[in-house]
Amino acid sequence: MLNVYDSKENCCGCGMCAQICAKSAIKLKEDKYGFWYPEIDQNLCTNCGACRKNCSFNSKKTILTKECYAAVNSDDLQLSMSASGGVFSALAYAFITDKGSVCGAAMELDNGNVTVKHIFTDSLRDLPRLQGSKYVQSYTAETFYKVLAYLKEGRKVLFSGTPCQVAAMKTYVGNQYSDLFYTIDIICHGVPSKKIFEDYIQTESEKRNLVIQNFVFRDKKSGWGHNGRITGKNFSGDSISEKINPDSSSYYRFFLDGELCRDCCYKCPFAQENRIGDLTIGDYWGAEKYSPELMRENGGVFSNDSGISCLLVNTKQGKELLKRYGGLIIKKDVNISKVKIINTRLRHPVIHSKLRYKLMKAYSEKGYDGIEKIFIIQKSRKIIIQNIKNLFRQREHKII
């Protein structure tokens, strides 16, 4: 009996195997945590092995990065709607203007139901749907044949996603459309499941007495960083907007700590300096410390208030993409070793602690309330420890 993968850490859930199966024998199914995994209908399978032979996650092909920049979008509106420096929106805007199609992750909330999937747009009006960070796995299984269909029609396509999604799409498309097909991979922290996030939204809705209509993971109203925002309506019909951060949000805290990702993220072959996309984008954390000469207060052009991206050029196509469509991007050369200091996904995969096993067990037994309870207990312990430390400091001060 043929299986697509040997263990869960060898499957990223991209769904490419289902698309290449000539007998349509493979379907993606959720496990108890909401992560997608392929299942084979053995009655339809002919044991051709195409699913395993073409698995891009296990091929581990990467490309040596050739250029590295600190970068920012010069359009203030696009920049304000972006998680960091707005490089993706600058490229996508120009690409669409030149009659190209852009494919990227979009997230929608409807009465507590969450949809996170890759969509296509050739309209500037829809571009904001693709902007910003979505710390949830995006469903891509329906995207492959659409990308290939567009390319066969002679349409330019810009595909943006996590490295494993980009690798899968490049494998599926092949090399025959190099003049039409461009890819951008993001520096990915790892992906929790849509189901866990949806259950978190339901928990937050009940806790806040709020019908949540939008969730922004990275909101710049408080500056560039890890502040998010929940917006919605209370049961009186009043519009509510509330800031969240890792200290107030269990999902945000445990995601940033690397405790909620799917198994493969902890063995990710793409979490390194060598990349898979034509371009790579992410945050240039620590720019003010490691490249102070680039900062506005020192006569440079970048600001921590608005965000700074790192931009890696990995291929000839990436260089062409940046040259043709990067007119809005202000960029300065930086050594990639500086970007890697804090951006550890350019050095190794995300790491989890023993807490992950406890969180997943709690979730499987009690739903998201189990995760929330652990967060509250941890938060209370931190407050108690901090109060004790403050008490000792006060006593030491009195003695002195």
Side-chain angles (χ1 to χ4, degrees), residues 37-151:
Y37 289 94
E39 288 188 6
I40 298 177
D41 184 338
Q42 300 297 333
N43 294 320
L44 297 175
C45 179
T46 62
N47 289 307
C48 70
C51 52
R52 294 179 70 96
K53 292 174 185 175
N54 291 281
C55 178
S56 56
F57 188 79
N58 291 305
S59 69
K60 300 177 175 59
K61 293 180 180 177
T62 56
I63 308 161
L64 179 65
T65 295
K66 296 174 176 60
E67 300 171 12
C68 180
Y69 301 100
V72 69
N73 191 327
S74 61
D75 184 293
D76 290 337
L77 179 60
Q78 290 183 21
L79 180 59
S80 68
M81 298 172 66
S82 302
S84 53
V87 170
F88 169 75
S89 58
L91 292 165
Y93 183 94
F95 200 83
I96 291 172
T97 302
D98 194 34
K99 300 181 180 180
S101 296
V102 177
C103 182
M107 183 174 75
E108 295 180 358
L109 273 67
D110 182 19
N111 291 322
N113 298 313
V114 178
T115 302
V116 188
K117 65 178 183 179
H118 267 58
I119 65 169
F120 289 82
T121 182
D122 54 11
S123 168
L124 295 175
R125 185 188 311 166
D126 289 334
L127 182 56
R129 297 176 64 190
L130 306 185
Q131 291 181 249
S133 297
K134 292 96 179 174
Y135 296 143
V136 192
Q137 183 168 19
S138 174
Y139 189 74
T140 56
E142 299 171 353
T143 307
F144 293 93
Y145 75 93
K146 291 182 181 180
V147 168
L148 191 55
Y150 278 24
L151 295 173

Side-chain angles (χ1 to χ4, degrees), residues 67-71 284 309-313 322 331-334 339:
E67 300 171 12
C68 180
Y69 301 100
Y284 183 7
S309 292
C310 63
L311 169 60
L312 312 183
V313 182
L322 184 59
K331 64 183 189 302
K332 300 292 182 182
D333 289 282
V334 294
V339 178

Side-chain angles (χ1 to χ4, degrees), residues 393-400:
R393 289 194 189 99
Q394 291 174 3
R395 288 181 176 180
E396 288 175 357
H397 182 71
K398 287 181 181 180
I399 292 173
I400 292 173

Side-chain angles (χ1 to χ4, degrees), residues 21 29 31 45 59 68 92 103 127 179 201 209 211 229 293 301 303 313 317 319-320 337 353 360 363:
C21 180
K29 301 290 182 64
D31 69 1
C45 179
S59 69
C68 180
C103 182
L127 182 56
D179 58 332
I201 289 294
N209 293 319
V211 177
R229 185 166 296 275
E293 72 283 358
V301 294
S303 169
V313 182
Q317 286 162 279
K319 195 165 187 174
E320 177 188 343
S337 62
S353 69
M360 291 304 183
Y363 179 71

Side-chain angles (χ1 to χ4, degrees), residues 17 31 104 106 151 166 183 233 271 277 320:
C17 54
D31 69 1
L151 295 173
V166 170
T183 60
K233 289 188 177 182
E320 177 188 343

